[in-house]
């Protein structure tokens, strides 16, 4: 899942980035409000963490601009302790959730997972597909209670396709959403990754739409 972290405090941003990457998210960070607004307006993210106190353009203004332009990306706002007015303003402007500083990173991770699930019509962190069960908390895929051996990238691919069940996903979208920003994009990387997942979970778990991309297989 591709996450934008818009936070100007380097310490907080580093903590978030490190922890979210460990949790399986692809993370990109911006500290300037104007740049953060532009990226959220022109690029596709699965969710955005937005600090309200950004320089150049404040977070509340950014959020209002995104919603006015029809950008529906789930947004979790960060706000200072005790400033309940900011929380109310943020929610009324279109925020999907908020967390008060200082915070526990585990709470951010859990709330982000919930935002992404709800945005894709999923209620639980444990999602069944075919004979398999995807567990977002343990980052495992199991069959009859037995964990399948998947690498982190293989798990990310399966998770992304499960969240978008019924859709065909292009190679470019897969690359942007499951790899980190500094990944050197090899034209064959996604094809190799898909082949590995098919070998582990079955050839029919991912279907190819020639010229369009990949989708979760029929029956999954």
């Amino acid at each position: 899942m591709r996450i934008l972290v818009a936070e100007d405090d380097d310490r907080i941003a580093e903590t978030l980035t490190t922890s979210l990457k460990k949790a399986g998210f692809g993370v990109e960070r911006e500290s300037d409000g104007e740049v953060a607004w532009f990226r959220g307006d022109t690029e596709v993210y699965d969710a955005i963490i937005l600090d309200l106190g950004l320089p150049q353009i404040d977070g509340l203004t950014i959020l209002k601009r995104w919603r006015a332009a029809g950008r529906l990306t789930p947004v979790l706002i960060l706000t200072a302790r005790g400033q309940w007015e900011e929380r109310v303003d943020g929610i009324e402007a279109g925020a999907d959730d908020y967390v008060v500083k200082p915070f526990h990173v585990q709470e951010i991770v859990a709330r982000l997972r919930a935002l992404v699930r709800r945005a894709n019509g999923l209620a639980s962190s444990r999602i069944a597909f075919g004979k398999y069960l995807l567990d977002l908390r343990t980052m495992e895929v199991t069959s009859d209670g037995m964990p399948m051996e998947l690498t982190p990238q293989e798990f990310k691919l399966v998770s992304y396709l499960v969240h978008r069940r019924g859709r065909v996903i292009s190679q470019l979208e897969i690359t942007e959403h499951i790899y980190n920003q500094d990944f050197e994009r090899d034209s064959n990387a996604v094809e190799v990754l898909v082949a590995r997942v098919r070998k582990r979970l079955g050839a029919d778990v991912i279907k190819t739409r020639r010229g369009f991309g990949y989708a979760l297989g029929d029956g999954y």
Side-chain angles (χ1 to χ4, degrees):
M1 303 297 171
R2 188 185 186 199
I3 306 297
L4 176 64
V5 174
E7 169 61 66
D8 64 322
D9 186 305
D10 290 336
R11 183 184 59 82
I12 293 176
E14 180 62 28
T15 298
L16 284 171
T17 299
T18 300
S19 299
L20 291 174
K21 285 183 177 180
K22 287 181 179 179
F25 293 100
V27 185
E28 300 169 24
R29 183 251 176 140
E30 290 296 343
S31 58
D32 180 278
E34 188 167 0
V35 178
W37 162 75
F38 179 77
R39 295 194 65 179
D41 193 56
T42 59
E43 300 184 38
V44 179
Y45 293 94
D46 295 291
I48 297 173
I49 296 176
L50 179 65
D51 177 34
L52 294 183
L54 292 173
Q56 304 305 321
I57 305 177
D58 67 89
L60 189 60
T61 299
I62 291 171
L63 180 57
K64 289 178 178 178
R65 288 186 182 182
W66 283 339
R67 296 311 190 222
R71 305 293 179 258
L72 301 178
T73 307
V75 173
L76 184 154
I77 57 174
L78 298 179
T79 182
R81 178 190 296 176
Q83 295 178 328
W84 63 267
E85 298 93 344
E86 282 192 345
R87 300 199 294 273
V88 171
D89 289 342
I91 291 172
E92 290 186 343
D96 299 273
D97 202 352
Y98 71 86
V99 171
V100 177
K101 299 177 182 177
F103 52 78
H104 293 286
V105 176
Q106 293 87 343
E107 180 183 4
I108 298 284
V109 171
R111 287 179 180 272
L112 275 183
R113 285 175 174 157
L115 287 181
V116 173
R117 288 200 315 269
R118 290 200 297 267
N120 289 279
L122 301 168
S124 174
S125 61
R126 305 177 78 215
I127 307 165
F129 64 108
K131 65 179 181 179
Y132 298 109
L133 186 68
L134 176 79
D135 193 320
L136 299 174
R137 294 188 63 187
T138 62
M139 296 178 66
E140 286 184 328
V141 172
T142 59
S143 178
D144 294 326
M146 298 297 294
M148 309 301 294
E149 294 294 333
L150 296 179
T151 67
Q153 290 305 118
E154 290 164 0
F155 177 84
K156 288 180 184 180
L157 174 62
V158 172
S159 176
Y160 195 74
L161 292 177
V162 168
H163 276 81
R164 282 148 187 80
R165 193 173 350 217
R167 283 183 50 196
V168 177
I169 310 299
S170 69
Q171 285 196 25
L172 177 60
E173 182 176 341
I174 290 172
T175 301
E176 289 181 338
H177 286 258
I178 72 170
Y179 291 104
N180 288 320
Q181 191 175 14
D182 55 359
F183 171 73
E184 293 186 9
R185 298 179 182 182
D186 187 317
S187 60
N188 295 322
V190 173
E191 292 180 9
V192 172
L193 187 60
V194 167
R196 295 207 316 253
V197 170
R198 285 172 171 159
K199 185 175 181 179
R200 296 180 190 275
L201 302 185
D204 61 341
V205 72
I206 298 176
K207 64 181 180 181
T208 301
R209 287 287 306 278
R210 296 295 177 189
F212 294 96
Y214 300 96
L216 209 60
D218 298 331
Y220 289 93

